[in-house]
């Protein structure tokens, strides 16, 4: 009887739960100012894994860092040659596409991230683009999304950098993300994702604030609030530049 009672008591005690992992991360800068001579910026992303117990030895830790710009709808058009000229022959409305998206990882993305987690967390570039309701007469609507990705990759707006996150002793990590000169204004979301066995075990995020300042801010506000005045100013600047160039050429020729 005593043995049976002891066994029941042991079964009633819950088994110890393995300590979880948390990510503590930061950025080299939390705000970026777009000025008239802005030519891009380098963002340093760093962090550490916080644990209450030693790291698990039966699985490998992986890290993914994503930087996402503001998302907007966009129309993707297909051009075809007709009667000797190129014309728009089809279009698909993409409901949401980030203006900028960069992914950095500790290893090949398809090896450290499962498709289920990618669908759920929307980590890869294709999963970040939402396109529904394509016209029924367009049978290859995914090709429009692929074309959008190719164009933005060529412009440096979409990128995947596998193996660029440096992870030291399963605790400290760091990577660099290049932000191009053609950034749009808005809040940029940065995610820090920890994975084991291709599944997400911890994730946190923070924001980078990208704003126009100085002359860029003034011109942007003028174009948005007083488009007529902005147009007159643009014409005046163009006329002044033309007059200055003409005068300079005349002086050089006469000299």
């Amino acid at each position: 009887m005593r043995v049976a009672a002891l066994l029941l008591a042991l079964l009633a005690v819950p088994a110890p739960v393995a300590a979880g992992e948390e990510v503590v991360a930061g950025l080299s800068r939390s705000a970026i100012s777009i000025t008239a001579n802005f030519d891009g910026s380098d963002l340093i992303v760093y962090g550490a894994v916080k644990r209450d117990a030693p790291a698990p030895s039966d699985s490998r830790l992986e890290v993914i860092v994503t930087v996402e710009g503001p998302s907007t709808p966009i129309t993707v058009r297909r051009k075809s040659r007709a009667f000797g000229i190129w014309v728009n022959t089809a279009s698909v409305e993409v409901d949401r596409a980030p203006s900028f998206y960069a992914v950095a990882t500790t290893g090949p993305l398809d090896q450290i991230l499962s498709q289920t987690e990618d669908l759920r967390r929307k980590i890869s570039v294709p999963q970040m683009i939402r396109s529904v309701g394509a016209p029924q007469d367009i049978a290859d609507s995914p090709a429009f999304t692929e074309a959008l990705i190719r164009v933005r990759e060529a412009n440096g707006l979409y990128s995947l950098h596998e193996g660029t996150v440096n992870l030291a002793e399963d605790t400290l990590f760091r990577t660099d993300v290049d932000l191009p000169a053609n950034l749009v204004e808005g809040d940029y979301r940065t995610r820090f994702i920890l994975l084991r066995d291709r599944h997400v075990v911890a994730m946190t995020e923070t924001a980078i604030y990208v704003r126009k300042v100085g002359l860029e801010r003034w011109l942007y506000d003028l174009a948005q609030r007083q488009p007529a005045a902005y147009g007159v100013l643009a014409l005046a600047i163009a006329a002044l530049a033309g007059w200055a160039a003409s005068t300079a050429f005349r002086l050089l020729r006469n000299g």
Side-chain angles (χ1 to χ4, degrees), residues 74-77 90-94 131-135 138 141 144-145:
I74 186 172
T75 302
V76 182
R77 304 183 189 279
S91 64
V92 169
E93 296 286 340
V94 175
S131 179
V132 297
I138 298 179
S141 59
F144 287 77
T145 300

Side-chain angles (χ1 to χ4, degrees), residues 6-253:
L6 181 59
L7 289 174
L8 290 175
L10 290 174
L11 292 174
V13 176
V17 179
E21 295 175 302
E22 298 179 10
V23 56
V24 181
L27 307 170
S28 59
R29 55 200 308 181
S30 59
I32 295 175
S33 299
I34 299 178
T35 60
N37 58 351
F38 178 75
D39 60 353
S41 179
D42 183 54
L43 180 68
I44 300 174
V45 180
Y46 55 90
V49 181
K50 180 181 177 182
R51 303 184 181 93
D52 296 328
S57 58
D58 57 347
S59 62
R60 178 184 174 88
L61 179 68
E62 304 289 354
V63 181
I64 297 177
V65 175
T66 69
V67 181
E68 174 192 351
S71 294
T72 57
I74 186 172
T75 302
V76 182
R77 304 183 189 279
R78 171 184 289 162
K79 290 183 179 294
S80 302
R81 194 174 182 86
F83 305 105
I85 60 175
W86 290 95
V87 295
N88 295 326
T89 55
S91 64
V92 169
E93 296 286 340
V94 175
D95 303 89
R96 188 190 68 182
S99 57
F100 173 84
Y101 195 65
V103 182
T105 72
T106 49
L109 187 62
D110 60 348
Q111 296 181 17
I112 66 175
L113 176 70
S114 69
Q115 293 184 357
T116 302
E117 288 284 17
D118 192 16
L119 288 170
R120 180 182 177 189
R121 311 283 182 171
K122 300 189 183 303
I123 295 174
S124 65
V125 174
Q127 291 301 326
M128 284 302 301
I129 298 176
R130 182 173 182 270
S131 179
V132 297
Q136 294 183 356
D137 59 337
I138 298 179
D140 60 341
S141 59
F144 287 77
T145 300
E146 294 170 2
L148 172 63
I149 293 174
R150 286 197 305 271
V151 170
R152 293 197 167 178
E153 284 178 342
N155 293 332
L157 295 174
Y158 289 172
S159 58
L160 170 61
H161 307 281
E162 296 176 316
T164 58
V165 178
N166 297 317
L167 179 62
E169 299 181 357
D170 268 3
T171 302
L172 304 175
F173 64 86
R174 171 188 163 154
T175 188
D176 296 341
V177 178
D178 292 326
L179 302 176
N182 51 347
L183 291 179
V184 302
E185 190 178 39
D187 297 343
Y188 285 61
R189 183 176 66 146
T190 304
R191 290 186 294 174
F192 311 87
I193 306 167
L194 302 183
L195 307 99
R196 287 188 182 275
D197 296 325
R198 304 182 70 196
H199 293 283
V200 175
V201 296
M203 183 171 65
T204 188
E205 64 180 63
T206 186
I208 309 169
Y209 304 100
V210 178
R211 298 289 184 270
K212 293 182 173 70
V213 298
L215 180 60
E216 284 285 320
R217 176 83 267 166
W218 183 77
L219 290 174
Y220 178 81
D221 290 341
L222 183 66
Q224 297 296 318
R225 300 174 183 175
Q226 302 182 45
Y230 178 80
V232 171
L233 177 63
L235 290 174
I237 293 175
L240 180 62
W243 173 83
S246 176
T247 302
F249 282 123
R250 186 168 59 252
L251 291 175
L252 290 173
R253 187 173 59 251

